[in-house]
Amino acid sequence: MTAMSPLIPVDEVIATLLADAVPSRDVQEVSISICVGHVLAEDMVAGINVPPVANSSMDGYAFNCEDAEIAIGSICRISDRIAAGTVGAPLTRGTVARIFTGAPVPEGANAVVMQEDTEPVDDDHIKLIKLPVQGENVRVAGQDIERGALILARGRRIKPQDAALMASVGVAAVPVMRPLRVAVMSTGDELVDPPGPLAPGQIFNSNHYALIGLIRNLGMEVVDLGLVPDDLNSTEVALRRGASQADCIVSSGGVSVGEEDHVKAALEKLGDLALWRIAIKPGKPLAFGQIEGIPFFGLPGNPVSTFVTFTMIARPYLLKMQGCSDLLPRPIYANAAFELEPGGRREYVRVRLETTRDGDLNATAYGNQGSGVMSSVVWADALAEVDIGQSVRYGDRLKVFLIDH
Ligand code: AMP
Ligand code: MG
């Protein structure tokens, strides 16, 4: 028996990995209608003001505040009618122009009185009940976006609201990073894909379906290497296929200490591999290496370990390869509604978040925190981070990471 090397802290592993990750440079253009979920490849600068010209925010009457002929109680002639999408004539002194929401404010006008603050007199005249101040109910040119402004920075994963912002300055084709292709394989002779049948001693392959979903949720493409039997030849064939078709390979299982480990043997033959013992619970063993220049992650096989190590460790790496600027999950804070004795590994406790009547956020832990209990992840809203040596008492403030964020 050799002495076990010390466990590597999670943050150190992430830092090492991020230093290794090389952002892809493959850029493509996609239509604005399908850009959401892609990563923006260039800074987006506005070519126009939004709105392009001053327009009315109300249905009402445009007038000039400095017009001495206009006062509360005045009866004014309606000299024009300006619908959205049309341009009115310059405003005549002493008159108002009928105007609709979104229509350009005519030259010579500087405020809009809302319809509700007027009284009809006849078809061509209204009486003013209130008199707005200059600029009231007018949306000035460029109030949303000024021409030349940086509206979105490269590296951002495009959200629906971002697509709206780009469309509002007239962008039709969006420069995005080509979605990363991630090969996924599951190892283990005990595994069978649903629907089976299950022979004695076998279990269903479940990790595969979490991994392909997690990867697709990042806007990446999956290269499905399927279920790979525990033998050297099949493992080599699968890894070579992954290396030729994908930008990165993620596997689950077969990295525990003492395992009859073909992933390790195959990678040592085809590329290189480091087996890490990480101070993380669940998910201590993790393999990282490369085959023909393609990075390889060997995640631990227990389903919760696979989920947690993917989320906390592999995900930031993949996001960096994808060209994203926001790599690490963003924590929120909640009060512990459970207790935990200090441990030697950073633990990610599956918790459900509840808002109390006082507006606090409480984190309740799932009863069985076993690394094979996938129900805990399904039940939970978040992973609560408990550091090495940290004891948790009721009410302690905890860092939590929302699942699926
Ligand atoms: P391993 O890391 O291969 O030693 O696997 C650890 C545990 O996770 C064992 O109980 C395996 O049966 C289980 N396991 C490994 N891969 C999968 C998978 N794809 N789906 C479900 N369970 C798995
Ligand atoms: Mg195995």
Side-chain angles (χ1 to χ4, degrees), residues 21-24 28 35-39 155 157 177-184 210-224 245-250 297 310 314-327:
V22 181
S24 152
Q28 61 186 41
C35 71
V36 171
H38 285 83
V39 174
R157 186 122 55 91
M177 304 304 300
R178 171 180 64 73
L180 220 58
R181 287 188 275 262
V182 184
V184 180
L211 285 175
I212 63 180
L214 286 162
I215 289 161
R216 290 201 179 114
N217 274 355
L218 298 179
M220 299 169 186
E221 284 169 14
V222 169
V223 175
D224 196 340
Q245 297 182 2
D247 303 297
C248 184
I249 305 171
V250 177
F297 279 92
F310 180 88
R315 182 182 184 275
Y317 186 96
L318 292 176
L319 291 177
K320 182 163 176 201
M321 280 188 84
Q322 182 67 92
C324 289
S325 44
D326 207 1
L327 305 179

Side-chain angles (χ1 to χ4, degrees), residues 24-97:
S24 152
R25 270 190 270 213
D26 287 350
V27 175
Q28 61 186 41
E29 266 192 357
V30 296
S31 157
I32 183 90
S33 39
I34 58 153
C35 71
V36 171
H38 285 83
V39 174
L40 201 56
E42 285 170 24
D43 287 345
M44 300 303 282
V45 173
I48 57 165
N49 285 319
V50 179
V53 296
N55 68 74
S56 177
S57 67
M58 291 287 170
D59 288 338
Y61 297 87
F63 70 103
N64 189 327
C65 291
E66 278 125 47
D67 192 331
E69 291 170 38
I70 291 181
I72 290 180
S74 305
I75 291 178
C76 307
R77 186 169 71 83
I78 305 165
S79 58
D80 200 358
R81 186 178 186 280
I82 312 165
T86 66
V87 175
L91 191 65
T92 319
R93 246 183 105 77
T95 74
V96 298

Side-chain angles (χ1 to χ4, degrees), residues 2-3 11 22 25 27 34 41 87 98 170 176 202 206 215 234 242 249 266 277-278 289 299 330 363 389 396-397:
T2 52
D11 293 336
V22 181
R25 270 190 270 213
V27 175
I34 58 153
V87 175
R98 180 75 174 119
V176 298
Q202 292 185 318
S206 62
I215 289 161
S234 311
I249 305 171
R277 294 173 63 246
I278 305 176
L299 305 180
R330 209 173 294 177
D396 283 358
R397 194 171 136 89

Side-chain angles (χ1 to χ4, degrees), residues 52-388:
V53 296
N55 68 74
S56 177
S57 67
M58 291 287 170
D59 288 338
Y61 297 87
F63 70 103
N64 189 327
C65 291
E66 278 125 47
D67 192 331
E69 291 170 38
I70 291 181
I72 290 180
S74 305
I75 291 178
C76 307
R77 186 169 71 83
I78 305 165
S79 58
D80 200 358
R81 186 178 186 280
I82 312 165
T86 66
V87 175
L91 191 65
T92 319
R93 246 183 105 77
T95 74
V96 298
R98 180 75 174 119
I99 194 164
F100 299 91
T101 305
V105 172
E107 196 185 312
N110 56 18
V112 171
V113 54
M114 37 195 287
Q115 189 170 313
E116 294 84 337
D117 293 336
T118 65
E119 264 172 24
V121 174
D122 60 35
D123 280 357
D124 296 323
H125 295 84
I126 52 138
K127 185 178 176 184
L128 291 174
I129 309 299
K130 281 188 188 162
L131 207 56
V133 296
Q134 182 166 333
E136 208 166 325
N137 302 324
V138 175
R139 304 190 277 223
V140 299
Q143 74 161 27
D144 183 0
I145 301 167
E146 275 181 33
R147 185 183 168 168
L150 174 70
I151 57 166
L152 294 167
R154 62 179 293 201
R156 182 175 170 99
R157 186 122 55 91
I158 302 168
K159 302 174 187 179
Q161 54 270 42
D162 301 338
L165 207 66
M166 288 188 277
S168 74
V169 298
V171 173
V174 184
V176 298
M177 304 304 300
R178 171 180 64 73
L180 220 58
R181 287 188 275 262
V182 184
V184 180
M185 62 187 251
S186 304
T187 71
D189 276 345
E190 75 281 27
L191 302 174
V192 183
D193 271 316
L198 273 189
Q202 292 185 318
I203 59 167
F204 284 119
N205 175 13
S206 62
N207 286 343
H208 205 73
Y209 304 95
L211 285 175
I212 63 180
L214 286 162
I215 289 161
R216 290 201 179 114
N217 274 355
L218 298 179
M220 299 169 186
E221 284 169 14
V222 169
V223 175
D224 196 340
L225 301 177
L227 198 48
V228 180
D230 279 331
D231 70 68
L232 187 58
N233 186 54
S234 311
T235 309
E236 263 188 55
V237 169
L239 287 171
R240 278 185 203 279
R241 201 184 129 212
S244 69
Q245 297 182 2
D247 303 297
C248 184
I249 305 171
V250 177
S251 85
S252 83
V255 293
S256 321
V257 181
E259 176 118 357
E260 191 205 335
D261 195 347
H262 301 287
V263 169
K264 184 165 182 266
L267 265 153
E268 274 166 355
K269 191 167 154 198
L270 303 173
D272 61 63
L273 185 81
L275 273 181
W276 291 337
R277 294 173 63 246
I278 305 176
I280 187 172
K281 186 179 175 183
K284 181 165 57 182
L286 188 138
F288 179 70
Q290 59 83 30
I291 155 169
E292 290 158 18
I294 301 297
F296 169 87
F297 279 92
L299 305 180
N302 278 305
V304 186
S305 307
T306 307
F307 189 91
V308 168
T309 52
F310 180 88
T311 304
M312 302 313 294
I313 297 174
R315 182 182 184 275
Y317 186 96
L318 292 176
L319 291 177
K320 182 163 176 201
M321 280 188 84
Q322 182 67 92
C324 289
S325 44
D326 207 1
L327 305 179
L328 299 176
R330 209 173 294 177
I332 57 173
Y333 292 86
N335 304 324
F338 65 95
E339 297 202 321
L340 199 67
E341 293 314 312
R345 291 185 274 164
R346 177 185 283 179
E347 188 160 350
Y348 288 99
V349 181
R350 274 75 70 213
V351 298
R352 195 176 261 193
L353 300 175
E354 261 134 6
T355 309
T356 66
R357 255 182 283 153
D358 306 328
D360 285 335
L361 203 55
N362 276 0
T364 308
Y366 190 76
N368 187 340
Q369 293 283 329
S371 61
V373 182
M374 200 55 184
S375 305
S376 67
V377 182
V378 172
W379 177 88
D381 302 314
L383 300 172
E385 188 177 283
V386 179
D387 247 315
I388 298 172

